[in-house]
Amino acid sequence: MAYQQAFFSSVMLLLAVGINAGGIAIYWGQNGGEGTLADTCSTGNYDFVNLAFLPTFGNGQTPMINLAGHCDPYSNGCTNLSSEIKSCQAKGVKVMLTIGGAAGSYYLTSAADAKQVATYLWNNFLGGKSSARPLGEAVLDGIDFDIEGGTTQHWDDLARYLSGYSTKSKKVYLTAAPQCPFPDAYIGTALKTGLFDYVWVQFYNNPPCQYSGGMTSFEDSWKQWTSAIPATKIFLGLPASPTAAGSGYIAVGDLTSKVLPAIKGSAKYGGVMLWDKYHDNQTGYSSSIKSHV
């Protein structure tokens, strides 16, 4: 009987922990010294890996992926990642393609342009067919919007066209990395469509709404994001080291004792997003916070 009670108690504890248990999303691709994609997924620390970036697309441009020192897309060198993507997915890690970035040449001129980009993404990275898939035959789980320039228009159109490719057997996940000032200047309208599954808000490089600007303003911002955006889950986006961003780094102790306890009660709390794998390697940040997320 005592054993049954102990077992029951441990199950209930697991359920209680599970309700608030979040995941960690990591950006990978912008530093050749950050380790392989397969190694990234083998750590067991991450639920999402965002491949950064596809920084050139739209407005009639030939889309081009940029994975820094990892591979050369101009010689089809990134197709070797296909087996690594599959190994990540076999471990239950969702692998996304991040479009945009802080530095890129991307722009949508119209809804028709958005449709053309969606078709390209479907055929070259998702479930469609193309003779020149940059990452080989692996089918990514979805598209991550990190739009920090170009235009404020037609991102909602792109989200609708991409979402239209979802089927009951294979969902196309849509995620986004807006800045914390609300609403996001570029994809604020797109986020209102309700088509985004996971939104990792960049609570860094934005002093008015990040934690270093004061707990009250940070909490107010978090509440605004979780109440106003119809996404499945909202993540706390952070730099993985003090040098990973201009500002916004939160020491592990502060994150686990102050920040996470303040936001984990939210029904939409999804976890933590980190920029990026290279900086996480330097600090071990994800390993330090994983049991608290």
Side-chain angles (χ1 to χ4, degrees), residues 54 57-58 99-100 106-108 110-122 126 143-147 153-165 172 174 187 190 193 195-196:
L54 182 80
F57 63 87
I99 62 172
Y106 52 90
Y107 201 93
L108 296 178
S110 62
D113 192 16
K115 186 172 187 178
Q116 200 167 1
V117 170
T119 303
Y120 170 82
L121 292 171
W122 170 253
L126 301 169
I143 303 296
D144 177 49
F145 287 49
D146 180 20
I147 307 304
Q153 304 293 310
H154 307 298
W155 301 111
D156 54 337
D157 294 320
L158 181 58
R160 287 188 194 99
Y161 289 127
L162 286 170
S163 183
Y165 285 113
V172 175
L174 296 183
I187 54 171
T193 60
L195 297 173
F196 286 83

Coordinates of all heavy atoms in Angstrom, one line a residue, residues 54 57-58 99-100 106-108 110-122 126 143-147 153-165 172 174 187 190 193 195-196:
L54 N 17.9 31.5 -44.3 CA 17.7 31.7 -45.7 C 17.5 33.3 -45.8 O 16.4 33.8 -45.5 CB 16.5 31.0 -46.2 CG 16.2 31.2 -47.7 CD1 17.1 30.3 -48.5 CD2 14.7 31.0 -48.1
F57 N 15.6 36.1 -50.5 CA 14.4 35.6 -51.2 C 13.5 36.7 -51.5 O 13.6 37.8 -50.9 CB 13.7 34.5 -50.3 CG 13.2 35.0 -49.0 CD1 11.9 35.6 -48.9 CD2 14.0 34.9 -47.9 CE1 11.5 36.0 -47.7 CE2 13.5 35.4 -46.6 CZ 12.3 36.0 -46.5
G58 N 12.5 36.5 -52.3 CA 11.5 37.5 -52.6 C 11.9 38.5 -53.7 O 13.1 38.6 -54.0
I99 N 13.9 31.9 -42.0 CA 14.0 32.8 -43.2 C 14.2 34.3 -42.6 O 13.6 34.6 -41.5 CB 12.8 32.8 -44.1 CG1 11.5 33.2 -43.4 CG2 12.7 31.4 -44.7 CD1 10.3 33.4 -44.3
G100 N 15.0 35.0 -43.2 CA 15.3 36.4 -42.8 C 16.6 36.6 -42.1 O 17.6 36.3 -42.6
Y106 N 15.9 40.4 -48.2 CA 14.6 39.7 -48.4 C 13.5 40.8 -48.4 O 13.6 41.8 -47.7 CB 14.4 38.7 -47.3 CG 14.6 39.1 -45.9 CD1 13.6 39.7 -45.1 CD2 15.9 39.0 -45.3 CE1 13.8 40.1 -43.8 CE2 16.1 39.4 -43.9 CZ 15.0 39.9 -43.2 OH 15.2 40.4 -41.9
Y107 N 12.5 40.5 -49.2 CA 11.5 41.5 -49.4 C 10.3 40.8 -50.1 O 10.5 40.0 -51.0 CB 12.0 42.6 -50.3 CG 11.2 43.9 -50.3 CD1 11.6 44.9 -49.4 CD2 10.1 44.1 -51.1 CE1 10.9 46.1 -49.3 CE2 9.4 45.3 -51.0 CZ 9.8 46.3 -50.1 OH 9.1 47.5 -50.1
L108 N 9.1 41.1 -49.7 CA 7.9 40.6 -50.4 C 7.2 41.8 -51.0 O 6.8 42.7 -50.3 CB 7.0 39.8 -49.4 CG 7.5 38.6 -48.8 CD1 6.5 38.0 -47.8 CD2 7.9 37.5 -49.9
S110 N 4.3 41.6 -53.0 CA 2.9 41.4 -53.2 C 2.4 40.0 -52.6 O 3.3 39.2 -52.3 CB 2.5 41.5 -54.7 OG 3.2 40.4 -55.3
A111 N 1.1 39.8 -52.6 CA 0.6 38.5 -52.2 C 1.1 37.4 -53.2 O 1.4 36.3 -52.8 CB -0.9 38.5 -52.2
A112 N 1.2 37.8 -54.5 CA 1.7 36.9 -55.5 C 3.1 36.5 -55.2 O 3.5 35.3 -55.4 CB 1.5 37.5 -56.9
D113 N 3.9 37.5 -54.8 CA 5.3 37.2 -54.5 C 5.4 36.3 -53.3 O 6.2 35.4 -53.3 CB 6.0 38.6 -54.2 CG 7.5 38.5 -54.1 OD1 8.1 37.5 -54.6 OD2 8.2 39.4 -53.6
A114 N 4.6 36.5 -52.3 CA 4.5 35.7 -51.1 C 4.2 34.2 -51.5 O 4.8 33.3 -51.0 CB 3.5 36.2 -50.1
K115 N 3.3 34.1 -52.5 CA 2.9 32.7 -52.9 C 4.0 32.0 -53.6 O 4.3 30.8 -53.4 CB 1.7 32.8 -53.8 CG 1.1 31.5 -54.2 CD -0.2 31.6 -55.0 CE -0.8 30.2 -55.2 NZ -2.1 30.2 -55.9
Q116 N 4.8 32.8 -54.4 CA 5.9 32.3 -55.1 C 7.0 31.8 -54.1 O 7.6 30.7 -54.3 CB 6.5 33.4 -56.0 CG 7.4 32.8 -57.1 CD 7.7 33.9 -58.2 OE1 7.3 35.0 -58.1 NE2 8.4 33.5 -59.2
V117 N 7.2 32.6 -53.1 CA 8.2 32.2 -52.0 C 7.7 31.0 -51.3 O 8.5 30.0 -51.0 CB 8.5 33.4 -51.0 CG1 9.3 32.9 -49.8 CG2 9.2 34.5 -51.8
A118 N 6.4 30.9 -51.0 CA 5.9 29.7 -50.3 C 6.0 28.5 -51.1 O 6.4 27.4 -50.6 CB 4.4 30.0 -50.0
T119 N 5.8 28.6 -52.4 CA 6.0 27.5 -53.3 C 7.4 27.0 -53.4 O 7.7 25.8 -53.3 CB 5.5 27.8 -54.8 OG1 4.1 28.3 -54.7 CG2 5.6 26.7 -55.7
Y120 N 8.3 28.0 -53.4 CA 9.7 27.6 -53.4 C 10.1 26.9 -52.1 O 10.8 25.9 -52.1 CB 10.6 28.9 -53.5 CG 12.1 28.7 -53.3 CD1 12.9 28.1 -54.3 CD2 12.6 28.9 -52.0 CE1 14.2 27.8 -54.0 CE2 14.0 28.6 -51.8 CZ 14.8 28.0 -52.8 OH 16.1 27.7 -52.5
L121 N 9.7 27.4 -51.0 CA 10.0 26.8 -49.7 C 9.4 25.4 -49.6 O 10.1 24.5 -49.1 CB 9.5 27.7 -48.5 CG 10.2 29.0 -48.3 CD1 9.4 29.9 -47.3 CD2 11.6 28.8 -47.9
W122 N 8.2 25.2 -50.1 CA 7.6 23.9 -50.0 C 8.4 22.9 -50.9 O 8.7 21.8 -50.5 CB 6.1 24.0 -50.5 CG 5.5 22.7 -50.8 CD1 5.2 22.1 -52.0 CD2 5.0 21.7 -49.8 NE1 4.6 20.9 -51.8 CE2 4.5 20.6 -50.5 CE3 5.0 21.7 -48.4 CZ2 4.0 19.5 -49.8 CZ3 4.5 20.6 -47.7 CH2 4.0 19.5 -48.4
L126 N 10.5 21.6 -47.8 CA 9.4 20.9 -47.1 C 9.0 19.7 -47.9 O 9.8 19.0 -48.3 CB 8.2 21.9 -46.8 CG 8.6 23.1 -46.0 CD1 7.5 24.2 -46.0 CD2 9.0 22.7 -44.6
I143 N 8.8 26.4 -41.1 CA 9.5 27.6 -41.4 C 9.4 28.6 -40.2 O 8.3 28.8 -39.6 CB 8.9 28.3 -42.6 CG1 8.9 27.4 -43.9 CG2 9.6 29.6 -43.0 CD1 10.3 27.0 -44.3
D144 N 10.5 29.1 -39.9 CA 10.7 30.1 -38.8 C 10.9 31.5 -39.4 O 11.7 31.7 -40.2 CB 11.9 29.7 -37.9 CG 12.2 30.7 -36.8 OD1 11.2 31.0 -36.0 OD2 13.3 31.1 -36.6
F145 N 10.0 32.4 -38.9 CA 10.1 33.8 -39.5 C 10.9 34.7 -38.5 O 10.5 35.0 -37.4 CB 8.7 34.4 -39.5 CG 7.8 33.9 -40.6 CD1 7.6 32.5 -40.8 CD2 7.1 34.8 -41.4 CE1 6.7 32.0 -41.8 CE2 6.2 34.3 -42.4 CZ 6.0 32.9 -42.6
D146 N 12.1 35.0 -39.0 CA 13.0 36.0 -38.2 C 13.1 37.2 -39.1 O 14.1 37.5 -39.7 CB 14.3 35.4 -37.8 CG 15.2 36.4 -37.1 OD1 14.6 37.4 -36.5 OD2 16.4 36.3 -37.1
I147 N 12.0 38.0 -39.2 CA 12.0 39.1 -40.1 C 12.3 40.4 -39.4 O 11.6 40.9 -38.5 CB 10.6 39.2 -40.7 CG1 10.2 37.9 -41.4 CG2 10.5 40.3 -41.8 CD1 11.1 37.3 -42.4
Q153 N 4.9 44.3 -45.1 CA 3.8 43.8 -45.8 C 3.9 42.3 -46.2 O 5.1 41.8 -46.5 CB 3.5 44.6 -47.1 CG 3.4 46.1 -46.8 CD 2.1 46.4 -46.1 OE1 1.0 45.9 -46.4 NE2 2.3 47.2 -45.0
H154 N 2.8 41.6 -46.3 CA 2.7 40.3 -47.0 C 3.2 39.1 -46.2 O 3.2 38.0 -46.7 CB 3.2 40.3 -48.4 CG 2.6 41.4 -49.2 ND1 1.3 41.5 -49.5 CD2 3.2 42.5 -49.8 CE1 1.0 42.6 -50.2 NE2 2.2 43.2 -50.4
W155 N 3.7 39.3 -45.0 CA 4.2 38.2 -44.2 C 3.0 37.3 -43.8 O 3.1 36.1 -43.6 CB 5.0 38.6 -43.0 CG 6.2 39.4 -43.4 CD1 6.4 40.7 -43.2 CD2 7.3 38.9 -44.2 NE1 7.6 41.1 -43.8 CE2 8.2 40.0 -44.4 CE3 7.7 37.7 -44.7 CZ2 9.4 39.9 -45.1 CZ3 8.9 37.6 -45.4 CH2 9.7 38.7 -45.6
D156 N 1.8 38.0 -43.6 CA 0.6 37.2 -43.3 C 0.2 36.4 -44.5 O -0.2 35.2 -44.3 CB -0.5 38.1 -42.9 CG -0.8 39.3 -43.9 OD1 0.1 39.6 -44.7 OD2 -1.9 39.8 -43.9
D157 N 0.4 36.9 -45.7 CA 0.1 36.1 -46.9 C 1.0 34.9 -47.0 O 0.6 33.8 -47.3 CB 0.3 36.9 -48.2 CG -0.7 38.1 -48.3 OD1 -1.9 37.9 -47.9 OD2 -0.3 39.2 -48.7
L158 N 2.3 35.1 -46.7 CA 3.3 34.0 -46.7 C 2.9 32.9 -45.7 O 2.9 31.7 -46.0 CB 4.7 34.5 -46.4 CG 5.8 33.4 -46.5 CD1 5.8 32.7 -47.8 CD2 7.1 34.1 -46.2
A159 N 2.5 33.3 -44.5 CA 2.1 32.4 -43.5 C 0.8 31.6 -43.9 O 0.8 30.4 -43.7 CB 1.7 33.1 -42.2
R160 N -0.1 32.2 -44.6 CA -1.3 31.5 -45.0 C -1.0 30.5 -46.1 O -1.5 29.4 -46.1 CB -2.4 32.5 -45.6 CG -3.0 33.3 -44.5 CD -4.2 34.2 -45.0 NE -4.6 35.2 -44.0 CZ -4.2 36.5 -44.0 NH1 -3.4 36.9 -44.9 NH2 -4.6 37.3 -43.1
Y161 N -0.1 30.9 -47.1 CA 0.2 30.0 -48.1 C 1.0 28.8 -47.6 O 0.7 27.6 -48.0 CB 1.0 30.7 -49.2 CG 0.2 31.7 -50.1 CD1 0.6 33.0 -50.2 CD2 -1.0 31.3 -50.7 CE1 -0.1 33.9 -51.0 CE2 -1.7 32.2 -51.4 CZ -1.3 33.5 -51.6 OH -2.0 34.4 -52.3
L162 N 1.9 29.0 -46.7 CA 2.7 27.9 -46.1 C 1.8 27.0 -45.3 O 1.8 25.8 -45.4 CB 3.8 28.5 -45.2 CG 5.0 29.1 -45.9 CD1 5.9 29.8 -45.0 CD2 5.8 28.0 -46.7
S163 N 0.9 27.6 -44.5 CA 0.0 26.8 -43.7 C -1.0 26.0 -44.6 O -1.4 24.9 -44.2 CB -0.9 27.8 -42.8 OG -1.7 27.0 -42.0
G164 N -1.2 26.4 -45.8 CA -2.1 25.7 -46.7 C -1.5 24.4 -47.1 O -2.2 23.5 -47.6
Y165 N -0.2 24.2 -46.9 CA 0.4 22.9 -47.3 C 0.3 21.9 -46.2 O 0.7 20.7 -46.4 CB 1.9 23.2 -47.6 CG 2.2 23.8 -48.9 CD1 2.7 25.1 -49.0 CD2 1.9 23.2 -50.1 CE1 3.0 25.7 -50.2 CE2 2.2 23.8 -51.3 CZ 2.7 25.1 -51.4 OH 3.0 25.7 -52.6
V172 N 2.8 21.5 -41.4 CA 3.9 22.4 -41.6 C 3.8 23.4 -40.5 O 2.9 24.2 -40.3 CB 3.7 23.2 -43.0 CG1 4.8 24.3 -43.1 CG2 3.8 22.2 -44.1
L174 N 4.7 26.6 -38.2 CA 5.2 28.0 -38.4 C 5.6 28.5 -37.0 O 4.9 28.4 -36.1 CB 4.0 28.8 -39.0 CG 3.5 28.4 -40.4 CD1 2.5 29.4 -40.8 CD2 4.7 28.4 -41.4
I187 N 6.4 41.8 -38.4 CA 5.4 40.6 -38.5 C 4.2 40.7 -37.6 O 3.6 39.7 -37.3 CB 6.1 39.3 -38.4 CG1 7.0 39.2 -37.1 CG2 7.0 39.0 -39.6 CD1 7.5 37.8 -36.9
A190 N 1.1 39.5 -39.3 CA 1.2 38.0 -39.5 C 0.9 37.2 -38.3 O 0.2 36.2 -38.3 CB 2.5 37.6 -40.1
T193 N -2.7 36.2 -37.3 CA -3.5 35.3 -38.1 C -3.8 34.0 -37.3 O -4.7 33.3 -37.7 CB -2.7 34.8 -39.3 OG1 -1.4 34.2 -38.9 CG2 -2.3 36.0 -40.3
L195 N -1.9 31.5 -37.1 CA -1.3 30.4 -37.8 C 0.0 29.9 -37.2 O 0.5 28.9 -37.6 CB -1.1 30.7 -39.3 CG -2.4 31.0 -40.1 CD1 -2.1 31.5 -41.5 CD2 -3.3 29.8 -40.1
F196 N 0.5 30.7 -36.3 CA 1.9 30.4 -35.8 C 1.7 29.5 -34.5 O 0.9 29.7 -33.6 CB 2.6 31.7 -35.4 CG 3.1 32.4 -36.6 CD1 2.3 33.2 -37.4 CD2 4.4 32.2 -37.1 CE1 2.7 33.9 -38.5 CE2 4.9 32.8 -38.3 CZ 4.0 33.6 -39.0

